[in-house]
Each structure stands twice: as C-alpha cells, then as structure tokens.
Amino acid sequence: MTAFVRDQWYVAAYSGEVARDLLARTILGEPIVFYRTEDGASVVALADRCVHRRYPLSASSLENDTVVCGYHGFTYDPTGTCVRVPGQTRIPRTARVRSYPVVEQDSLVWVWIGDPDRADPTAIPRARHLDSPGWSTVRGMEPIDADYGLLVDNLLDLSHETYLHNGYIGTPEVAETPIATSVDDEAHVVRVSRRMDDAACPPFYARSTGIDGRISRRQDIEYFAPCLYLLHSRISPVGDPTRAYHTEITYAITPSAPGKVYDFWAVSRDFATDDAELDTFLHDFNRDVVIQDVDALNLLQRTLDSEPDGYQELSINIDAGALAARRVLAAMTAAAADGASGSAAVAAPGSASASASPSPSSSPPSSPPSSSAASASASASVTG
C-alpha cells in the first residue's frame, strides 16, 4: 500500500457540499465531520466521534454553530471544545474533540490532517479555473476501493485512454505518442506532456466543440503531490490553430483509508460557457469515463491482493510519469519519517528528471494561471 503523507493538505469536499447538514468523510483513516457556520463564512472540521461513547457526530445535529451529540447530548463548539454536558454543570477538562485546520479555496474544501502547527495555507496548489469568470465547470466524486497510488498511476499514464476509454476520450494516437516528463523535487510536482499533431477527434471533444475532422491535441499534466492533479488540454482542427478549445481536467486524489480513495473530478471549459445542454453532456459523459476507471481500479486492486509474494511488475517508457510520482511520494514519506516537514525540499532518489526529456511549459499560454504551490490567495479563509 502507498504510505500516507500526513503533513499535507487534502481535498475533503467541494464547497457546495458543505452546508448546514453534517457531512461525514474519512481522510487518511480519520473520521471527520464537516459543517458550515450559520453566517456561511467558515467551514468547521471536527473529529467525528463523541468523547463520551464514541457516537458519530455526523449522525447528530447542529444547534447554532455547535454540534449536539445524538446519543447523550454532549455539545461541541467549532474549536472542538465541549460546552455542555447533560445532567451536570462541570465539564471534564478532557471533554473535547480534535479540530482540523480548513481552507476553502477555488471551490474546494481542503483539510490538514497532520501537525496543525505546520498547516500553511500558502502551500495549497491552485485550481483557479474551478470558479473563475469565463470558465464553466461540471464536477463529481466517486469512491474507489483501491490504493490511492493506483489512481495516481492511472492519471499519470494517459496511454490507457486508447484502450479503457476507447469511444469516449481515447484514440490510437494517445498510446502511440511519446511523452516528456520532468520533476520538480523541491516543489513535489511531476509534469508529463504529450503532443499529437494529427489525431482523431474522440467523441468527448467532437460533441463538445463541433469539430468533425482530425485535430491537433495537447495534454499537459501537472501533479502536485500528494493530492491535486491538473490536465491542461488544448485541441484545434489540424491546420487551424486559431480555433483552439481549452479544457481543464481536475482531480483531487484523497486517500480515505488503506485501500480506499476519494476520486474528486471536474471538467472546466472556456467555450460555450452558458450552454446548459453541454454542461449535462460533459457531466454525464465524463462520469462514464470516471466509472470506467473506478471499475478498472477496483478490479486491479482485487487482482493485486490475490498475487503471490515475489511478483515483479514490468514498467516501460510510458510509465515515466507514474514512476516519478511514486518516487516523489516515497521521498515525502521518508522526509516525514525523518522528522522533516512534508513540504521541505526533498531530493527524490532516482528522479526521472535526470533521464527523461524536459517538458514544455507546465500550462498552455491561454490556460488559467498555473497552480503554483506558493501562490495561494490572500483571501483564503483558515479555520480550526
């Protein structure tokens, strides 16, 4: 199993999911309950267990901005402090639950699982297109019963589109075109790019753009380990680069527990942004693609679980991005084990940057600003 990197930010929900209903999520094995304060300004994240008899607070109720345990009435404020105990005025000193740092940014709710003193909001990578003017976004989330490293592998090696997603987003050119891979070890970012100058137009793009001939297609991946994945996609008809269509594919890869991962996905576009029918098509079509990945990864995990000891996997050139991501995650885990911050500069052993060809710019010129880990908005709210 891929080790968890704890001193990092993880996406727990979309902003629209967190309201006045209690929302339960398990992040890195820790049950957490989320809710929004009455004024709507802040998201609260508390350990989802009452200190009294461990009843889930997510199965309880809100009273103003406090959570009232649905079993015996212990009541907790947004800091996790117990403010009322039924039948007595004295509140035990240890009557409190953990409160987690939270940042709401780019329509995503990020939670910090590790040492709260190390929670730096400016370290959160950006995905501005998710709620920027001039962009339209559809989104969803699917749980997968597989190791989160398998989802990272899946997304860093898009050659599987040709086979698993044929008839949706895959064409022969995706698997046939070489990739360029680079690694920023200090920032923990892996970049993979693919340039297809003359490719078939898959149904996903033919239907959304109206192109009925062959296309020039670019795929530029940025993986901000451990959680955020961005695919900057650009297509245009062959011979007509002025008719360019830009799509931003976003994934948040959030481990839930060993062998379980939340697959948050979103598709953003900068064309036909007021077309509700296209919104529906892109949501339903992309969800079908995601479900194909879910089914494949669930099957792969069951297969790996049944493998005898000693099996060695085979890797080839197209695996360069996925292998680089594995090394980055392993380096982050090792740094944490050594007592260093998960966000400190780490040299990944055997980094792919030494042997792989350099990648082009991490983001196409007309894409939204690149998701720099050091450019978090000053207006991002922090709670906990």
Side-chain angles (χ1 to χ4, degrees):
M1 289 290 180
T2 307
F4 294 157
V5 184
R6 299 191 65 81
D7 280 339
Q8 293 290 324
W9 293 97
Y10 290 91
V11 171
Y14 293 113
S15 291
E17 292 184 279
V18 184
R20 294 295 289 168
D21 295 324
L22 295 167
L23 175 68
R25 289 275 154 82
T26 300
I27 313 294
L28 274 62
E30 299 194 17
I32 304 175
V33 59
F34 296 86
Y35 67 93
R36 192 173 294 278
T37 55
E38 277 191 305
D39 61 9
S42 301
V43 172
V44 178
L46 301 177
D48 192 15
R49 296 290 186 268
C50 178
V51 295
H52 179 225
R53 291 294 182 264
R54 309 301 291 159
Y55 191 78
L57 295 179
S58 57
S60 303
S61 62
L62 281 177
E63 183 178 290
N64 300 319
D65 284 340
T66 63
V67 181
V68 182
C69 178
Y71 195 18
H72 292 105
F74 278 61
T75 302
Y76 302 91
D77 71 11
T79 71
T81 302
C82 183
V83 294
R84 186 167 66 245
V85 172
Q88 65 185 59
T89 57
R90 188 184 71 83
I91 299 175
R93 180 178 56 82
T94 57
R96 61 177 299 113
V97 297
R98 180 178 177 185
S99 173
Y100 295 82
V102 173
V103 168
E104 192 170 11
Q105 177 176 277
D106 301 329
S107 77
L108 301 173
V109 175
W110 295 81
V111 64
W112 179 271
I113 300 299
D115 181 350
D117 291 335
R118 294 180 175 176
D120 177 7
T122 67
I124 300 175
R126 301 304 303 267
R128 291 181 174 89
H129 51 273
L130 293 176
D131 60 2
S132 287
W135 290 82
S136 180
T137 298
V138 297
R139 66 193 77 204
M141 189 276 283
E142 299 296 332
I144 306 177
D145 292 327
D147 180 73
Y148 84 96
L150 295 183
L151 181 55
V152 175
D153 277 359
N154 172 279
L155 295 173
L156 267 294
D157 176 12
L158 294 183
S159 68
H160 78 275
E161 289 182 353
T162 298
Y163 307 99
L164 187 61
H165 305 309
N166 182 35
Y168 288 82
I169 58 176
T171 66
E173 294 81 8
V174 181
E176 294 169 359
T177 303
I179 60 172
T181 303
S182 67
V183 182
D184 184 336
D185 292 317
E186 183 173 351
H188 305 147
V189 180
V190 178
R191 295 182 172 91
V192 179
S193 66
R194 181 182 275 108
R195 298 287 188 267
M196 294 161 276
D197 295 328
D198 187 351
C201 187
F204 179 85
Y205 288 115
R207 168 64 181 82
S208 60
T209 66
I211 296 176
D212 58 6
R214 294 183 70 80
I215 60 173
S216 296
R217 185 178 182 185
R218 295 183 180 181
Q219 294 176 326
D220 293 297
I221 296 169
E222 292 183 295
Y223 171 52
F224 296 83
C227 186
L228 187 68
Y229 169 101
L230 303 178
L231 168 58
H232 310 292
S233 175
R234 179 189 185 278
I235 71 163
S236 61
V238 169
D240 187 5
T242 62
R243 281 183 62 200
Y245 298 87
H246 302 96
T247 307
E248 294 286 327
I249 312 296
T250 304
Y251 283 90
I253 305 164
T254 301
S256 173
K260 294 182 181 295
V261 58
Y262 295 121
D263 182 1
F264 293 90
W265 59 267
V267 178
S268 307
R269 68 185 189 277
D270 67 353
F271 57 92
T273 56
D274 57 353
D275 188 334
E277 184 179 346
L278 184 54
D279 285 342
T280 300
F281 166 77
L282 289 175
H283 176 276
D284 295 347
F285 201 89
N286 197 72
R287 185 176 185 274
D288 288 344
V289 171
V290 172
I291 293 300
Q292 289 174 332
D293 281 333
V294 170
D295 291 343
L297 295 178
N298 286 344
L299 174 60
L300 179 56
Q301 185 65 65
R302 292 195 299 270
T303 302
L304 293 174
D305 289 343
S306 67
E307 286 289 345
D309 292 339
Y311 170 78
Q312 293 185 346
E313 67 177 7
L314 172 68
S315 296
I316 57 177
N317 291 341
I318 60 174
D319 298 308
L323 294 176
R326 291 185 187 182
R327 286 192 289 270
V328 167
L329 289 170
M332 295 170 74
T333 304
D338 290 339
S341 169
S343 60
V346 177
S351 170
S353 59
S355 57
S357 56
S359 78
S361 172
S362 62
S363 176
S366 51
S367 293
S370 176
S371 301
S372 171
S375 61
S377 169
S379 62
S381 60
V382 185
T383 59

